[in-house]
Amino acid sequence: MPQPTSRATRDTPLLTVTADTLVAVDFGPRGRSEPRAKDPYRRPEGPYRRLFALPGARAFTAGNLIARLPMGMFSVSAVVMIAGTRGSYALAGAVTATGLAATAVVAPWTARLVDRYGQARVALPATVFAVLGSLALLLCVRYGAPDWTLFASYAATATTPNTGGMSRARWAHLLKGDAEALHTANSFEQAADELCFMLGPVLAAFLCGTSFPEAGTLVGAVLLLTGTVLFTAQRSTEPPAARRSSARSPFRSPGMRPLLVVCLATGAVFGSLEVVTLAFADERGHRAASGAVLALQAAGSCAAGLLYGAIRPAGSARARLPWCLAAMAALMTLPLLAAGLTGSLVPLAGALLVAGMATAPTMVTTMTLVQRYTPEGRLNEGMTLAVTGLLGGIACGSAAGGWTVEHVSATAGYGVPVAAAAIALLVALCTLVLFGPSNRSADSLPTH
């Protein structure tokens, strides 16, 4: 059989006969010089499928979700564990409040170290220290240690890194310059937050109720450490460290302080809604159903977050934020109307499901602006400041909602999230819209 001996021969099909069959052999190169014709019947890939087609995206997301799930477990587990063994909800609440205050102080410093030295070098040791604090709390409760040891142990968990912020930082690194894909990634992360905070308390209550009081804390610590190890092991997607960044502090960046006030007010919506709903269900003898009712609110937010990421909203994030806050303020009136007009838990559950659909788009847009207003190389610190604002707002909202329930009524308590959402809208209209493009060059582009 003749062999191809030149380029012309290689580019020409070889024809030969085998028995009664004509065979054509093409020795041409197998490159991608000619694009394949598009299949008109082929469905276009969705935005989330394109997002997770990026190398390493699925691996770091899986580890991050495992590490993030305990964030919704620890406080519930601590309350059940301490109240169940010491017989004091006041002590349990004081211990968890101390841990929240410690986190508000320590978390921004931890995030600054993450930006400066890298996620793997800082997040893993910080997680190990936090896990040791959780285990110390477990042992102190188990063996009847003095009350002050509970405060010290739970305060040690404040070094827990902001896993959601680190995941968003990886997306920002991978999708630099692709505003549409980054919008989808931020929407997914917000939906993941809602899912973890929806499933975490349910899992914690189940473990503590069916096994032993310390089970929720123990499982949460194992999940946190395991997820962080898997997450930080994905070095190919880790943003580079900025050891000598000369950028200003995110807190001093133009537009950041009004955003933090918006985060504070939005957190008050979440905190008050939870406390008031628990009290409303308890007043009507349905305490066991309160968790499911709150889960509906989180489910509505999760679904809205995924849908929001699949579309391409018009305008910049700065222009969209007041509209999102206005929608949240309007929808937060639905639980107030349902509680006041019907006094029944079933209509309230439906109202919370619908009201929750405005929270995820609001948080996605807020976090997008936080990313834009944060100087280069300090993204983890900027997003952790936003989370700290949310935590502070949750604490304030819980206190305001509890006071209203105790001194007025549970129905009137649903006015607190309405007022908090209105304050967030007022801040955005009066201050945030007055700022121009942020201090990063890419921020002059519209966000989609």
Side-chain angles (χ1 to χ4, degrees):
M1 180 182 296
Q3 300 295 326
T5 57
S6 65
R7 180 175 180 83
T9 306
R10 288 196 302 269
D11 293 342
T12 304
L14 174 65
L15 301 178
T16 186
V17 177
T18 301
D20 58 350
T21 304
L22 176 64
V23 179
V25 183
D26 184 6
F27 290 99
R30 296 295 188 265
R32 291 191 176 182
S33 56
E34 296 183 5
R36 294 186 302 175
K38 293 184 178 180
D39 184 358
Y41 298 101
R42 184 182 180 184
R43 293 182 179 179
E45 290 186 350
Y48 291 104
R49 186 173 181 179
R50 292 195 299 269
L51 192 68
F52 289 103
L54 294 172
R58 296 183 182 183
F60 85 74
T61 299
N64 187 269
L65 289 178
I66 295 173
R68 206 185 306 188
L69 180 60
M71 298 300 102
M73 296 177 60
F74 282 130
S75 60
V76 174
S77 298
V79 169
V80 173
M81 178 174 63
I82 295 171
T85 56
R86 300 293 175 96
S88 173
Y89 277 97
L91 176 62
V95 170
T96 55
T98 300
L100 182 64
T103 300
V105 175
V106 175
W109 292 97
T110 303
R112 181 176 297 182
L113 292 175
V114 169
D115 285 328
R116 184 172 299 178
Y117 298 105
Q119 294 183 354
R121 294 187 62 184
V122 176
L124 189 55
T127 300
V128 171
F129 191 86
V131 167
L132 291 176
S134 295
L135 296 179
L137 175 67
L138 186 154
L139 293 175
C140 290
V141 173
R142 182 77 173 179
Y143 294 103
D147 289 349
W148 68 266
T149 62
L150 308 185
F151 290 91
S153 298
Y154 203 68
T157 65
T159 61
T160 304
N162 179 12
T163 51
M166 291 191 298
S167 184
R168 288 179 172 91
R170 293 204 179 204
W171 287 121
H173 170 63
L174 293 175
L175 302 172
K176 188 174 296 184
D178 191 345
E180 184 176 350
L182 187 58
H183 165 74
T184 302
N186 285 334
S187 299
F188 170 79
E189 291 298 326
Q190 185 60 38
D193 280 341
E194 299 291 346
L195 184 64
C196 290
F197 279 98
M198 178 175 63
L199 297 179
V202 176
L203 179 59
F206 174 78
L207 290 171
C208 295
T210 59
S211 299
F212 49 93
E214 300 85 1
T217 299
L218 181 60
V219 172
V222 172
L223 289 175
L224 175 61
L225 183 59
T226 302
T228 304
V229 169
L230 293 175
F231 177 76
T232 55
Q234 311 304 317
R235 303 300 293 270
S236 62
T237 55
E238 182 178 353
R243 297 191 180 185
R244 297 183 179 180
S245 176
S246 59
R248 71 177 75 187
S249 168
F251 186 75
R252 298 179 180 179
S253 299
M256 180 62 81
R257 294 180 187 180
L259 269 182
L260 295 181
V261 177
V262 170
C263 289
L264 188 71
T266 305
V269 173
F270 302 150
S272 58
L273 205 61
E274 180 176 353
V275 170
V276 174
T277 300
L278 291 173
F280 186 87
D282 193 21
E283 277 187 1
R284 282 145 185 81
H286 299 292
R287 179 184 297 180
S290 59
V293 173
L294 286 172
L296 283 176
Q297 187 267 337
S301 182
C302 179
L306 292 175
L307 179 61
Y308 190 62
I311 64 176
R312 184 176 180 178
S316 66
R318 191 161 53 89
R320 291 199 308 268
L321 182 59
W323 291 103
C324 292
L325 290 170
M328 184 171 70
L331 291 181
M332 283 299 154
T333 61
L334 296 180
L336 178 62
L337 293 174
L341 296 178
T342 68
S344 174
L345 201 60
V346 175
L348 176 66
L352 287 172
L353 175 66
V354 177
M357 293 180 180
T359 58
T362 300
M363 289 308 305
V364 169
T365 308
T366 302
M367 286 300 181
T368 300
L369 285 173
V370 168
Q371 291 177 16
R372 286 186 172 272
Y373 291 151
T374 300
E376 191 74 39
R378 306 192 74 165
L379 188 55
N380 284 290
E381 184 181 354
M383 286 189 290
T384 302
L385 282 174
V387 172
T388 302
L390 285 171
L391 292 177
I394 290 173
C396 295
S398 298
W403 186 91
T404 305
V405 166
E406 185 174 346
H407 291 84
V408 187
S409 67
T411 300
Y414 281 108
V416 177
V418 177
I423 292 173
L425 174 60
L426 185 63
V427 170
L429 290 174
C430 293
T431 60
L432 189 61
V433 296
L434 300 179
F435 288 90
S438 69
N439 52 317
R440 293 168 68 181
S441 59
D443 296 339
S444 60
L445 300 173
T447 304
H448 298 294

